Amino acid sequence: MIARLAGTVVAREGDRIVVETGGGVGYEVAVPRSVLERLPAVGGRVELATLLVVRDDGWALFGFSGEGDRRIFQRLLGVSGVGPRLAMALVSALGLPRLARALRDRDLAVLTSVPGVGRRTAERLAVELADKLEDVDSATDGAPVSSETEAALQALVRLGYGPSQADTALRGVVADDGGADSATLIRRALQRLTRT
């Protein structure tokens, strides 16, 4: 198994990057949005925790910023009906802290806000993983998600914005202005979303 990968980013396309190691081997790696946002430009060095998924239709290498992301991805793959594409969508759309919290709290509204996750799948994820995230929770990086931020995210999704688009706007608001009540977060996030 390929557990870690360090090298130079030589290509980026969509959710995939190519990392060339010191030995000259280039690995194509699928990465979640959180990794893409922090990725250096082509030519920069990167180090990723990785997971090799072997299936009948091929092999795929997935890269994560840390052990917590990789662990939760592995746990998601262990749930019946969840493949790599859906697991990556969950990690990308929600991020590790929000995903761990939604699973632990069995928050079906948050889970079903991710495209491709229906109510049955969300229920299965919550039932199977709610009590299996102790080690993942301790590995989360970043600030915990407040209930105000979660409420703001759900409101933006109900207004028609995609979960990842709304989450990005809210992260920007919190980074710039700090925490606030959900109404203020929604207003500031909408200002960001309408500017783009």
Side-chain angles (χ1 to χ4, degrees):
M1 182 204 286
I2 302 168
R4 292 201 74 71
L5 186 62
T8 304
V9 178
V10 294
R12 295 175 63 157
E13 186 176 325
D15 68 343
R16 298 187 179 274
I17 62 172
V18 176
V19 178
E20 187 174 302
T21 63
V25 178
Y27 291 89
E28 182 181 76
V29 187
V31 294
R33 186 176 49 88
S34 59
V35 172
L36 283 174
E37 290 172 352
R38 295 185 210 140
L39 206 60
V42 171
R45 294 232 357 117
V46 69
E47 188 171 332
L48 301 169
T50 58
L51 179 69
L52 179 63
V53 176
V54 179
R55 298 173 51 174
D56 292 340
D57 57 351
W59 294 20
L61 188 61
F62 296 88
F64 306 94
S65 58
E67 284 298 314
D69 287 354
R70 181 172 68 178
R71 275 191 217 130
I72 203 164
F73 185 77
Q74 283 179 298
R75 303 270 164 78
L76 290 168
L77 291 178
V79 175
S80 174
V82 177
R85 183 175 294 161
L86 187 57
M88 187 60 78
L90 283 158
V91 173
S92 285
L94 300 176
L96 180 59
R98 179 172 279 125
L99 178 57
R101 180 177 172 181
L103 291 168
R104 189 182 58 246
D105 296 346
R106 299 173 193 223
D107 191 338
L108 301 184
V110 171
L111 296 172
T112 56
S113 71
V114 176
V117 179
R119 185 156 183 88
R120 277 189 180 165
T121 301
E123 288 171 349
R124 193 166 40 246
L125 286 164
V127 167
E128 291 189 32
L129 297 180
D131 300 327
K132 298 179 182 174
L133 299 175
E134 296 81 17
D135 61 330
V136 173
D137 286 343
S138 65
T140 59
D141 51 359
V145 179
S146 72
S147 59
E148 297 293 334
T149 306
E150 194 63 57
L153 176 72
Q154 292 307 310
L156 291 169
V157 169
R158 283 192 297 274
L159 287 171
Y161 292 99
S164 61
Q165 186 183 21
D167 185 53
T168 300
L170 284 169
R171 283 187 203 195
V173 168
V174 172
D176 289 350
D177 306 328
D181 61 87
S182 59
T184 303
L185 290 171
I186 293 166
R187 187 174 64 254
R188 291 179 183 160
L190 283 170
Q191 289 169 346
R192 284 175 170 266
L193 289 164
T194 55
R195 264 189 266 152
T196 58

